[in-house]
Amino acid sequence: MTVSVGDTAPDFSLPDQDKQVVTLTDLRGAPVLLVFYPFAFSGICTGELCQLRDELATYTDAGVKVLAVSTDPVFSLKAFREKEGLDFPLLSDFWPHGATAQTYGVFNEKAGMALRATYLLDADGVVTFAQVNQPGDAREQSAWKDAVGQLAA
């Protein structure tokens, strides 16, 4: 079952690219943009995360913390972050493989990867925006910015 608008986002604790554990509930008090993506270094994912990098101020200026989640191991995420100059945490849902994506209902079991899913959580952890795209279907990030604007209003 996919997490929907109005749901409280399921908590998780995942290591980032530097093996520092990030726990979602520890971020309460600020909005969070949670971006699941299939794989580091893949074409569409790289394009999406680089666009997010280039437009990061849209989110951070509104007080939104950005977290990107994939099923890649931390070592791949560290190399990906350094190569692309990504300035937000890349979280590893590697082991147990895809457990967090499964909890959100956005795990493609056949391919062993997360779907392209985006959630905007308010300061209390309630989902205010949810979008799930299939593999190969790039996301239009203007919807994310609109959701951030509505949350800030």
Side-chain angles (χ1 to χ4, degrees):
M1 188 166 147
T2 304
V3 173
S4 302
V5 171
D7 293 345
T8 297
D11 195 23
F12 59 78
S13 293
L14 294 172
D16 70 9
Q17 70 285 335
D18 297 318
K19 300 182 191 174
Q20 300 301 306
V21 175
V22 174
T23 300
L24 185 61
T25 53
D26 288 349
L27 302 176
R28 293 270 169 90
V32 174
L33 183 70
L34 188 57
V35 181
F36 286 90
Y37 64 101
F39 297 115
F41 296 106
S42 62
I44 293 173
C45 296
T46 299
E48 286 181 338
L49 293 184
C50 286
Q51 180 182 350
L52 186 56
R53 172 201 65 205
D54 295 344
E55 299 171 357
L56 190 60
T58 301
Y59 306 100
T60 57
D61 289 354
V64 176
K65 296 184 185 302
V66 175
L67 301 175
V69 182
S70 75
T71 57
D72 295 298
V74 294
F75 308 105
S76 295
L77 296 178
K78 186 172 186 74
F80 185 48
R81 187 175 198 238
E82 289 172 0
K83 180 180 185 303
E84 300 301 339
L86 304 173
D87 197 22
F88 46 86
L90 302 180
L91 305 182
S92 175
D93 190 17
F94 183 71
W95 198 258
H97 196 71
T100 298
Q102 289 175 40
T103 300
Y104 278 74
V106 297
F107 185 68
N108 179 326
E109 194 140 334
K110 254 182 145 171
M113 66 184 192
L115 299 176
R116 296 179 193 290
T118 311
Y119 300 96
L120 179 62
L121 318 177
D122 68 13
D124 297 320
V126 175
V127 177
T128 63
F129 172 85
Q131 175 188 35
V132 179
N133 292 39
Q134 296 302 311
D137 185 11
R139 293 173 271 204
E140 176 52 55
Q141 295 182 23
S142 62
W144 309 357
K145 294 176 201 152
D146 291 345
V148 167
Q150 290 172 6
L151 186 62

